[in-house]
Amino acid sequence: CAPVNVGIGLDTGEVIVGNMGSRTRMEYTAIGYTVNTASRLAGLAKGGDIFISEKVYDRVKDNVVAEKMIGVGVKGFESPLTLYNIKDLNGRWKQDVERVLDETFNAMEADVVSKGGSYNSPRFVAGRLRQDLCAISHRVRLRPRGDTL
């Protein structure tokens, strides 16, 4: 099974969200400096990178291991930014994510075996993973109680 390499960019702040457009073309969207920043960070992130802004880092620094990146040029910004690339999670966050993944893949394996199936079907795996993650997200909080982003 090949790994999925996705780059992620995160920022935090105020945004404007809602249905925008004209009568002939209406879309639900988010706009603003924060959305633009997150989009630019995602554009810089290679597969496996999770680039976060200083504002996000200030809120999660006790729960992550991150590499500080000083003076990063970002398209559309006059001054270079300081970014952080999350390398790992700490403490309760790490335990919660590992538990969710273990529960998900154990449930997938049990389901595949009970049906005589195989993990070789990408369609089956994607559908089952989506279903299990949705179900687990209702039972398990990924953030410890009292923690906020």
Side-chain angles (χ1 to χ4, degrees):
C1 194
V4 177
N5 290 312
V6 177
I8 298 172
L10 300 173
D11 192 21
T12 185
E14 294 186 17
V15 299
I16 298 171
V17 295
N19 291 316
M20 297 178 199
S22 66
R23 287 186 204 172
T24 57
R25 182 175 165 94
M26 184 72 65
E27 287 188 23
Y28 187 82
T29 191
I31 60 172
Y33 180 84
T34 302
V35 176
N36 192 36
T37 303
S39 175
R40 297 294 188 192
L41 298 184
L44 291 173
K46 305 280 189 266
D49 289 334
I50 303 174
F51 289 167
I52 61 175
S53 67
E54 283 189 286
K55 292 184 291 183
V56 173
Y57 181 75
D58 287 342
R59 293 177 175 209
V60 301
K61 63 186 170 195
D62 294 334
N63 299 300
V64 300
V65 175
E67 172 190 352
K68 186 174 185 176
M69 303 162 54
I70 300 172
V72 178
V74 178
K75 182 179 176 183
F77 290 79
E78 290 181 19
S79 302
L81 302 179
T82 297
L83 307 178
Y84 295 83
N85 189 1
I86 295 178
K87 298 296 187 180
D88 203 355
L89 300 176
N90 284 328
R92 179 73 186 267
W93 280 17
K94 184 172 187 151
Q95 294 166 0
D96 286 348
V97 168
E98 288 172 351
R99 183 178 68 248
V100 166
L101 292 174
D102 284 345
E103 287 182 23
T104 299
F105 290 112
N106 287 340
M108 285 176 63
E109 183 177 23
D111 191 52
V112 169
V113 169
S114 72
K115 294 179 179 174
S118 164
Y119 281 116
N120 294 334
S121 165
R123 185 181 209 182
F124 173 83
V125 172
R128 184 59 205 223
L129 181 59
R130 183 181 305 115
Q131 178 185 4
D132 287 344
L133 286 175
C134 185
I136 289 170
S137 71
H138 292 289
R139 293 184 292 145
V140 177
R141 292 179 56 130
L142 290 180
R143 291 190 307 245
R145 297 196 191 291
D147 280 4
T148 60
L149 292 178

